[in-house]
Amino acid sequence: MKSMLILLLIIWCQTCQAQEVVTPGDGFFDPQHDPVASMVNGRLGPKVNEEVLVRSIASKFPKIGTIEQLDCQEIEGYWWLTLESRHADDMEQSVFVALRLKSDKAGNYFADSYWTACTGEGCGGCDFKLQMDGCFCRFDKPGEPGTPGACYQTASDEPLLTKVPLKPTRE
C-alpha cells in the first residue's frame, strides 16, 4: 500500500512539472504570470519585447501610437514601467504611461494593477512627477513656440496590461 501511494505521488509530481514546462511556451504574454522587467546587475530593464508590451497596453488604452521611449524608473519608492509615445490619432500630441511594478524575491518585476497616463493637448511632451502634482507639459505646443500646452491625467487601479500573443496576428 505504501509503495502504491509513493508511486501515485511520483506520477502526480511528474504531471505537475510537465504542465509547468508547457505553460510558459504557450505563445502568449500573460501579465498575470509573466514578468515585465527584471533586475540585472543593479539595473531594472524591460524583459518583454517592446512591441508585445505596446499591444498589451493598446488593447485597453488605444491612444498609444508611435513609441519614443520605454524605460523603468523609480518614482517615490516604487519601480514603474514608463512609456512615452505619440498619440495614435494625432502625432503632435504626447502620451506618457506609467505602470507600477511589484517584485518577487528572484528579482523579477510584474505589472501591478495601478497605472497613470498623461495625455497632451497642444503639448509636445507630457511627463509625470509627483513633485509637480502629477502630469505636466515639458514642451510648448508643437509648431507654436511660447504657446503652453496641457497634459491631462488618467489614473486607474484596474489592470492595464492584457494577455496577448507573443507574435502579432496577421490581418
Side-chain angles (χ1 to χ4, degrees), residues 73-80 82 96 98 128-131:
Q73 298 179 24
E74 189 172 13
I75 303 171
E76 295 289 319
Y78 292 99
W79 280 102
W80 299 75
T82 59
F96 178 90
F128 176 80
K129 298 270 187 270
L130 290 176
Q131 301 87 342

Side-chain angles (χ1 to χ4, degrees), residues 10 14 21 32 53-55 61 76 80 89 93 97 100 121 129 140 144 155 157 170:
I10 290 170
Q14 288 177 342
V21 171
Q32 295 292 322
L53 280 173
V54 170
R55 281 191 290 113
F61 194 76
E76 295 289 319
W80 299 75
D89 296 328
Q93 302 303 318
V97 177
R100 190 166 61 190
E121 183 175 299
K129 298 270 187 270
D140 293 339
E144 296 181 33
D157 61 358
R170 294 185 179 191

